[in-house]
Amino acid sequence: MKRTAKDTAKTRVALLGAALESFEEKGWRGATFERIAERAGVSRGALHHHFQSKTVLLTEALEWGWLDYGSRIFDAAPARSDAEGRLRALLSEFVTLLQVDKRFRALAYTTVLVAPQALDDSRPKHEALDAWRDQIAASLGEHPDLPVSAATAAGLVLILLQGFTVTAVTRPDDLPHLQHLDAAVTALVKGLLS
């Protein structure tokens, strides 16, 4: 039976997700092609068909993960007319995902602890961060309720997101608990906008 492009894409996504979860569970050295293939429910040959090396797999898993979640986060933000509402929605969604979404936590862990061990070239990471900053700036626009430029505000928000990401990996109990998240995010955004 011939595989369709949809089947191939579905297998690729399963492999990328399995890679992130394996890197979180076993680290760079322990996340072997065998483990990743087993976790995805495919043969090692199928994994090699899609990715020529573990480094390529790691790079593509990180790119896919941040692009996919970025789309979810930015698409989920309500179309509010005020910068404060958009910022609150963005930060709340990001922290909520870090706390409740297993794959997002694996993406955070892999980004913070695995990638620095395995990847020499930080250019793709910087390009991804630039893309997030640009999306944040575009979502803010130049509104009168921003005391700084949208680019400056976006840079500050990106710093917060990176801090949340590192905290989720190193000290997850320091993240605002979900029942207090709205109040914490409101305080952060008010501070940023004042």
Side-chain angles (χ1 to χ4, degrees):
M1 183 164 116
K2 187 173 178 170
R3 294 181 45 92
T4 65
K6 187 176 179 179
D7 292 336
T8 301
K10 188 175 179 180
T11 298
R12 185 175 177 78
V13 166
L15 290 168
L16 293 168
L20 290 173
E21 292 168 6
S22 296
F23 289 131
E24 177 188 30
E25 181 183 324
K26 298 295 182 181
W28 174 246
R29 294 188 203 285
T32 63
F33 261 35
E34 291 83 10
R35 285 188 194 272
I36 295 167
E38 181 180 320
R39 182 177 218 122
V42 301
S43 69
R44 183 176 175 192
L47 180 56
H48 274 290
H49 173 75
H50 288 274
F51 305 99
Q52 64 186 10
S53 70
K54 195 161 74 166
T55 303
V56 169
L57 175 58
L58 172 62
T59 300
E60 291 191 29
L62 290 171
E63 289 173 3
W64 165 78
W66 286 110
L67 182 63
D68 183 61
Y69 278 101
S71 295
R72 291 186 206 183
I73 290 167
F74 288 106
D75 290 348
R80 297 198 175 172
S81 60
D82 66 317
E84 184 177 339
R86 286 192 297 281
L87 283 175
R88 278 198 329 262
L90 171 70
L91 294 173
S92 292
E93 181 67 15
F94 194 88
V95 173
T96 299
L97 285 170
L98 284 171
Q99 292 182 345
V100 303
D101 189 301
K102 179 181 172 184
R103 187 163 284 166
F104 194 57
R105 282 192 313 273
L107 175 61
Y109 182 94
T110 302
T111 299
V112 171
L113 295 179
V114 176
Q117 298 173 25
L119 302 176
D120 295 330
D121 185 5
S122 63
R123 187 180 62 250
K125 180 180 178 181
H126 293 291
E127 290 170 358
L129 288 171
D130 290 345
W132 271 63
R133 185 196 58 230
D134 294 346
Q135 273 194 285
I136 294 166
S139 74
L140 293 175
E142 294 297 336
H143 284 279
D145 54 341
L146 280 175
V148 296
S149 71
T152 299
L156 293 170
V157 171
L158 191 60
I159 291 167
L160 282 172
L161 296 179
Q162 291 177 79
F164 285 141
T165 303
V166 171
T167 301
V169 172
T170 60
R171 294 181 51 90
D173 290 340
D174 288 345
L175 287 174
H177 295 279
L178 293 178
Q179 65 266 31
H180 305 294
L181 184 58
D182 286 339
V185 167
T186 297
L188 275 172
V189 171
K190 284 198 182 296
L192 181 66
L193 296 177
S194 61

